Amino acid sequence: MFISETIQYAISGITSGSIYAIVGICWSTVFLISGVLNFSTGEFVMLGGMLTWLFISWGFSLLPAIFFGVACTVIVAMLMERIVIRPVRYPSETTFLLITTAAGSVIRGIVLIACGSDTRHIEPFLGSSPIMIGDAVLLPQVIIVVSVLVLIAGGLVMFLDHTLFGKALRASSINQVGARLIGIKINRVRLFCFGLAGGMGAIAGIVIAPIEFTGYSVGLMEGLKGLVVALLGGWTIRGTVVAGLALGLLEGLGAGFISTGWKDALALFVMLTFLIIRTLDLTSIKKLVYRHE
Amino acid sequence: MTDSTYSQPVTSRTGECQLRIDGISAFYGEAQALRDVTLRLNSQEIVAILGSNGAGKSTLLRVLTGLLKHRQGRITFKGEDISGKEPDAVIKKGIASVPEGRELFGPMTVHDNLLLGAYTLDKQKRKELNDARLKMIFDLFPVLRDRLGQRADTLSGGEQQMLALGRALMANPVLLALDEPSLGLAPMMVATMMKTLKRLCKDYGLSILLVEQNAKAAIEIADYVYILERGEVRVEGAACSIMDDASLQRAYFGG
């Protein structure tokens, strides 16, 4: 009984953890290229789910609805870079934080007005007949969520390591002046990365919608947790995947064995602890410890 | 200290004019960094731009490569106006640069750094040229072949300078613009670097615009020299005539 309960909690943890990991990758895609902490990353997740629901409610079948949902979110993300981010004349982290937070509210507000405040649901892609692992239930949709994470993370690693354009993206995130001098158009690279983040976020929002519902406000928490795992993972793809799954498991097991109310608090507690530890200067602590030697 | 502008009639230079910089003025905010700078470079010529720190040498290269917008003046390359163009357009015209501080991609491998140098070439051209270019670079700098899989930031200063030059050569340029390639190198290494530049000009037909603070090393390989002072061209002349001028020797070469 205890074992199958644990498996059940772990399954739900890995499910939401996969989404956190994808959202974390969206944060780093934008941040590493443009230095912008994009606080509307979560809204891309929400837009993906809500737009797909909208297209389905207009009578589209699943695949075209997903396609248009992702495409529209990519367009929104790119428009955001072009209209809201690029014209900023005196860029600073605070400016971008305020601007992207505001842009997020606008997107949320528009969706609220257009689609209402009800939570929405997309039918599971492969039906809802569960696969049993002992007494634990594994929904086919969970398998889709995890494979999407594998595809996105794996595909991105392949793209960045083995194509010239991928290498150019890495080069731009390492050294912008060097990148411009070898002829990389930094503005286009930024635009591409916003679009890429929008697309990946939207896919995350679509595949999770049949399990966790979607609605105009789901982006807030998903976005914040994505930031937590991007920070924990050191802004790398591998690190973010590990951190995402770890945070998901921690939440799943914590919610199961302690209480559901602790779920979000646990994630934020992890983030705060990490940020506090990171701001401590390790060398000065060492000096304190070894002072008498 | 001489105040008279020393100049050699321009007609004495052979070769066709490739790069012409006409009356360039540039500013950082309100501070004027370049004042009406005019210079020319003929094909297969090495032109050295000398001067002390803050004379405007690097600014001139930043304007040429498109990193900094100038306020007045015109840059013509092979008869085409390229003033105010973005860096990617400039490099596509055939001007590659080895910037101040090298600006390599440290965490990436030497091989990736080199491959990225050919970023602006189209796919077809890359396929045709990459292998030959790599061979030429390994011929010039055999050590890079051994370091191919290593991270660029694990190289020594001299090797990094070779890599920066190699990366620029990958773009298949007509003109190389170098900003203080001797900076931070051991004297032996400086001599090798200068010899390589001479070879690139002689054997491979490149034109070279060489910004240097190490005047002695630069003037030995240069055909023509411009000396900048506070953003203006103070002196210009054929390298040999500048070397022979005793007052200039005192003022700029410390003896």
Side-chain angles (χ1 to χ4, degrees), chain B residues 41 45-47 175-176 178 197 200-201 206-210:
Chain B
L41 178 143
E45 200 177 38
I46 299 183
V47 166
L175 189 156
L176 262 182
L178 300 104
L197 294 181
L200 282 171
C201 178
L206 268 79
S207 324
I208 291 174
L209 190 67
L210 174 63

Side-chain angles (χ1 to χ4, degrees), chain A residues 15-89:
Chain A
T15 312
S16 36
S18 302
I19 299 300
Y20 300 157
I22 298 175
V23 182
I25 291 171
C26 295
W27 279 89
S28 10
T29 307
V30 167
F31 179 66
L32 293 180
I33 289 291
S34 55
V36 174
L37 278 179
N38 179 12
F39 276 84
S40 54
T41 306
E43 306 314 327
F44 299 155
V45 180
M46 178 274 287
L47 271 180
M50 286 303 279
L51 285 171
T52 305
W53 167 82
L54 197 65
F55 283 116
I56 288 175
S57 74
W58 285 344
F60 284 80
S61 55
L62 183 67
L63 282 178
I66 291 177
F67 174 80
F68 288 120
V70 174
C72 291
T73 313
V74 168
I75 291 168
V76 169
M78 287 175 128
L79 282 177
M80 191 175 141
E81 195 277 339
R82 198 64 195 79
I83 298 171
V84 188
I85 305 284
R86 199 182 296 182
V88 175
R89 285 200 56 189

Side-chain angles (χ1 to χ4, degrees), chain A residues 19-20 22-24 26-27 38-51 73 100-101 103-105 107-109 111-112 116-120 201-202 204-206 208-209 212-228 264 268:
Chain A
I19 299 300
Y20 300 157
I22 298 175
V23 182
C26 295
W27 279 89
N38 179 12
F39 276 84
S40 54
T41 306
E43 306 314 327
F44 299 155
V45 180
M46 178 274 287
L47 271 180
M50 286 303 279
L51 285 171
T73 313
T100 55
T101 309
S105 312
I107 295 173
R108 215 162 36 244
V111 173
L112 174 62
S117 61
D118 299 342
T119 54
R120 309 294 186 181
I206 294 167
I208 197 67
E212 289 185 352
F213 295 98
T214 185
Y216 81 101
S217 64
V218 296
L220 282 173
M221 236 347 145
E222 296 286 4
L224 200 55
K225 286 179 185 164
L227 175 60
V228 176
D264 293 339
L268 298 178

Side-chain angles (χ1 to χ4, degrees), chain A residues 38-215:
Chain A
N38 179 12
F39 276 84
S40 54
T41 306
E43 306 314 327
F44 299 155
V45 180
M46 178 274 287
L47 271 180
M50 286 303 279
L51 285 171
T52 305
W53 167 82
L54 197 65
F55 283 116
I56 288 175
S57 74
W58 285 344
F60 284 80
S61 55
L62 183 67
L63 282 178
I66 291 177
F67 174 80
F68 288 120
V70 174
C72 291
T73 313
V74 168
I75 291 168
V76 169
M78 287 175 128
L79 282 177
M80 191 175 141
E81 195 277 339
R82 198 64 195 79
I83 298 171
V84 188
I85 305 284
R86 199 182 296 182
V88 175
R89 285 200 56 189
Y90 302 104
S92 78
E93 274 170 30
T94 325
T95 321
F96 284 133
L97 188 149
L98 290 172
I99 289 177
T100 55
T101 309
S105 312
V106 170
I107 295 173
R108 215 162 36 244
I110 292 173
V111 173
L112 174 62
I113 293 165
C115 306
S117 61
D118 299 342
T119 54
R120 309 294 186 181
H121 182 63
I122 299 173
E123 287 302 314
F125 304 169
L126 299 175
S128 43
S129 50
I131 302 156
M132 302 300 294
I133 304 175
D135 284 332
V137 178
L138 176 66
L139 293 170
Q141 189 67 28
V142 169
I143 298 172
I144 291 179
V145 170
V146 176
S147 5
V148 161
L149 170 67
V150 172
L151 280 177
I152 284 183
L156 209 53
V157 169
M158 292 293 286
F159 166 66
L160 291 175
D161 286 350
H162 297 288
T163 67
L164 190 67
F165 187 54
K167 284 174 186 171
L169 290 191
R170 275 164 63 210
S172 314
S173 77
I174 294 165
N175 181 342
Q176 294 222 354
V177 176
R180 291 185 64 198
L181 281 175
I182 58 165
I184 295 173
K185 293 181 182 141
I186 271 305
N187 276 340
R188 279 210 200 155
V189 165
R190 276 183 170 212
L191 190 65
F192 175 83
C193 285
F194 266 82
L196 184 65
M200 293 189 302
I203 291 172
I206 294 167
V207 293
I208 197 67
I211 302 175
E212 289 185 352
F213 295 98
T214 185

Side-chain angles (χ1 to χ4, degrees), chain B residues 7-129:
Chain B
S7 75
Q8 188 85 355
V10 178
T11 45
S12 75
R13 296 164 75 185
T14 53
E16 63 176 313
C17 177
Q18 194 170 62
L19 177 76
R20 185 188 288 282
I21 293 178
D22 262 327
I24 290 286
S25 295
F27 295 76
Y28 288 113
E30 285 309 307
Q32 187 157 12
L34 290 177
R35 210 180 295 269
D36 199 22
V37 171
T38 297
L39 60 86
R40 62 177 266 184
L41 178 143
N42 295 339
S43 57
Q44 300 191 31
E45 200 177 38
I46 299 183
V47 166
I49 299 174
L50 310 176
S52 55
N53 246 338
K57 305 181 306 279
S58 298
T59 310
L60 188 62
L61 279 202
R62 286 170 58 85
V63 169
L64 174 66
T65 51
L67 284 180
L68 183 72
K69 300 271 173 272
H70 58 282
R71 280 208 202 152
Q72 278 156 22
R74 229 166 97 94
I75 304 174
T76 348
F77 181 62
K78 294 197 286 189
E80 202 177 335
D81 188 0
I82 58 160
S83 17
K85 285 236 186 327
E86 288 291 313
D88 63 282
V90 174
I91 193 170
K92 271 187 195 145
K93 295 274 176 239
I95 303 179
S97 62
V98 179
E100 190 182 9
R102 299 164 197 135
E103 309 284 6
L104 294 170
F105 308 116
M108 299 175 80
T109 63
V110 169
H111 194 219
D112 281 350
N113 270 276
L114 287 174
L115 289 181
L116 279 167
Y119 183 77
T120 45
L121 302 181
D122 57 58
K123 217 173 180 178
Q124 185 72 34
K125 206 115 189 253
R126 261 201 313 267
K127 251 190 196 150
E128 283 169 26
L129 286 175

